[in-house]
Structure formats: C-alpha cells, structure tokens
Amino acid sequence: TSVTSAKIQVNGVHLHYQQTGEGSHAVLLLPGMLGSGQTDFGPQLKSMNKQLFTVVAWDPRGYGKSIPPSRDFPPDFFERDAKDAVDLMQALKFKKFSLLGWSDGGITALIAAAKYPNLIHKLVVWGANASVTEEDVRIYNGIRDVSKWSEKVKKPLEELYGHKYFAETCEAWVDGISRFANNSDGNICQQLLPDIKCPTFIIHGEKDPLVPQAHAEYIHKHIKGSRLLLMPEGKHNLHLRFAEDFNREVENFLR
C-alpha cells in the first residue's frame, strides 16, 4: 500500500500528515523534537501491518512540512501539540485511535491520552519524560549546538529545514524544554499520568543517552496497569535501530 501525503487545516494551521494502510485500527505516530513523519517513522510507515492498521504520521506545527508557522515554544507547547494531534485525527474522521509517541511526541501523547480519554484506544510511548531535572537540562545543553551532532542524525534534518532554521529551532527547543526545570518537581505532565485510563505500553532503551531510565520507570509507576519493556541495547531511536523488534512488540500490544 502506498503512503499518501496531504495537508489539512486544524486550529488555524495547515498540518501535514502521511497515511498508509486500510485497517480498522487507526494509529497516530507522534515525532520527537524537530521531527516529522518522514524523518522519524520510515520503518513504521513502511512495515506496520496495513491490513490491521491505518497508520497516520503527522508533522506538528512548525516542524516538517507543517511550516508556516515557524516553530515556537510557549509554556503550553506540549498541550498545544496534544490538541492539534487529536483535532487532526478527528478532522480525518477517526472516531477512536491509538497513539505512538516518541520522545517529545511521547510527552504529547501522554497529555492527549489523559485529556481526551474517550478518543484514545491504546498508548505506546518511548524516550519520553514527565518532568525535567537538572541532569536533563545538562543533557539538553549538550545538544544545543547542532554543528556538534553526528552527520547521520544531522543530515536529514538539514535537508528538511536548511541549516539556519534547524540550528535556531534546536536552540529554541533547548530553552523551551529547560524552562520546565523551574516548575515544582520539574513538572511537565506528572499530575496527568493517573488520568490515563487506556492500556499503556512504555518502552525504554537502556542505553538512551538523552532520557535517563528513571523517567520511564516514573511514568510506568504512575499509569495504572501500564507495561514497561526495557531494551538492553536500545538507544533513543530504538524504533529505527531495532525496527523489526519494535514493530512486532507494538503490533502485539495493539491487537
């Protein structure tokens, strides 16, 4: 089945998304910082079961092909993304759907699942965190300067955005997410976790250099009945690096 690519107006912006499959179970893929469906979910768009699932990968506002507007990071940017994501799926006429969120997209998915419980069927998050610690801020500052990134990670994003937008948006993201460290307990969405009622699967790479394992354990502990899978060799991009294992685990959970 081919992957279609289109834009739809949602909350005053034109959001870009890719869609594939004709299964009755709709699934939304939520990308990470600076991410898009194209850069973040190639193996999922290609290989997830097209008979069981209808897979949608979106570009949040200011990312990927959902520009304009330019990306910004007001204090409620995760809530804004969560509303955009849910409203996009409703605009596409999906009554109920599951969320697969990576990194920032995982945070967005946690918020969406808590705030729109009647719409979310199941939830999978990996590389996500519900709070920002001083250690996290140190890690974020370590990736502030994109010229220090590995060529492999940098290249697709430079091709997508051009160097200037990529570099400036990354700096703005570091400043935006670091602000949460000033909240009590560094809170992003800790208080919402008990409101998540749908079946939830948390995956974490034990070698993730960006998100310490304690974050995955905290989310698991505070979402009742959730499942936690640790991948010993997994890093932050475990769904790309170990796509076959990841897709199999996730499809089994979603069935």
Side-chain angles (χ1 to χ4, degrees):
T1 339
S2 63
V3 177
T4 58
S5 178
K7 279 188 164 187
I8 189 166
Q9 188 163 349
V10 175
N11 299 328
V13 295
H14 290 92
L15 294 174
H16 176 261
Y17 67 96
Q18 290 166 286
Q19 186 172 329
T20 187
E22 58 272 329
S24 59
H25 189 156
V27 173
L28 177 66
L29 307 175
L30 298 94
M33 173 261 273
L34 280 161
S36 65
Q38 176 198 326
T39 55
D40 287 14
F41 295 116
Q44 284 69 46
L45 286 164
K46 182 167 174 260
S47 303
M48 276 186 77
N49 187 318
K50 310 283 163 95
Q51 280 69 53
L52 288 180
F53 304 106
T54 296
V55 181
V56 178
W58 81 309
D59 299 359
R61 62 169 77 200
Y63 284 165
K65 293 178 181 159
S66 296
I67 303 173
S70 291
R71 182 70 185 186
D72 62 349
F73 299 95
D76 66 343
F77 73 90
F78 284 118
E79 281 81 4
R80 182 181 67 183
D81 282 350
K83 183 170 174 24
D84 281 350
V86 165
D87 291 350
L88 165 75
M89 291 300 276
Q90 295 207 286
L92 296 176
K93 304 283 187 275
F94 295 110
K95 289 191 172 63
K96 210 167 179 173
F97 44 92
S98 291
L99 300 175
L100 270 64
W102 177 38
S103 200
D104 269 21
I107 301 172
T108 301
L110 291 168
I111 293 169
K115 288 194 160 182
Y116 308 97
N118 301 335
L119 301 174
I120 310 306
H121 184 40
K122 292 187 177 182
L123 172 66
V124 183
V125 296
W126 65 105
N129 47 300
S131 64
V132 174
T133 66
E134 289 306 323
E135 183 193 358
D136 295 327
V137 173
R138 192 178 49 72
I139 293 170
Y140 302 149
N141 278 306
I143 62 166
R144 175 187 289 275
D145 179 359
V146 298
S147 68
K148 294 182 180 148
W149 288 26
S150 79
E151 210 42 52
K152 194 169 153 240
V153 180
K154 192 164 61 174
K155 196 166 178 262
L157 292 167
E158 282 198 323
E159 283 170 2
L160 181 61
Y161 293 118
H163 180 76
K164 186 173 185 287
Y165 188 90
F166 169 43
E168 288 174 358
T169 307
C170 181
E171 287 191 11
W173 175 83
V174 171
D175 292 338
I177 195 153
S178 296
R179 271 186 227 117
F180 290 103
N182 302 327
N183 293 347
S184 161
D185 291 333
N187 179 49
I188 302 175
C189 61
Q190 290 169 316
Q191 76 292 354
L192 293 175
L193 300 181
D195 296 343
I196 296 174
K197 302 293 186 241
C198 65
T200 301
F201 186 21
I202 301 138
I203 305 173
H204 194 77
E206 291 188 37
K207 294 185 174 174
D208 189 331
L210 292 175
V211 180
Q213 192 171 310
H215 285 301
E217 289 166 352
Y218 182 94
I219 294 167
H220 172 47
K221 188 179 163 194
H222 290 87
I223 298 178
K224 205 174 169 189
S226 64
R227 221 183 110 196
L228 174 63
L229 172 70
L230 298 175
M231 293 177 71
E233 294 304 311
K235 293 187 179 175
H236 196 57
N237 65 346
L238 55 87
H239 66 296
L240 302 176
R241 175 85 174 66
F242 300 103
E244 219 171 290
D245 294 348
F246 175 87
N247 288 358
R248 186 183 61 247
E249 288 284 354
V250 166
E251 288 186 3
N252 287 338
F253 170 75
L254 292 175
R255 276 169 200 271

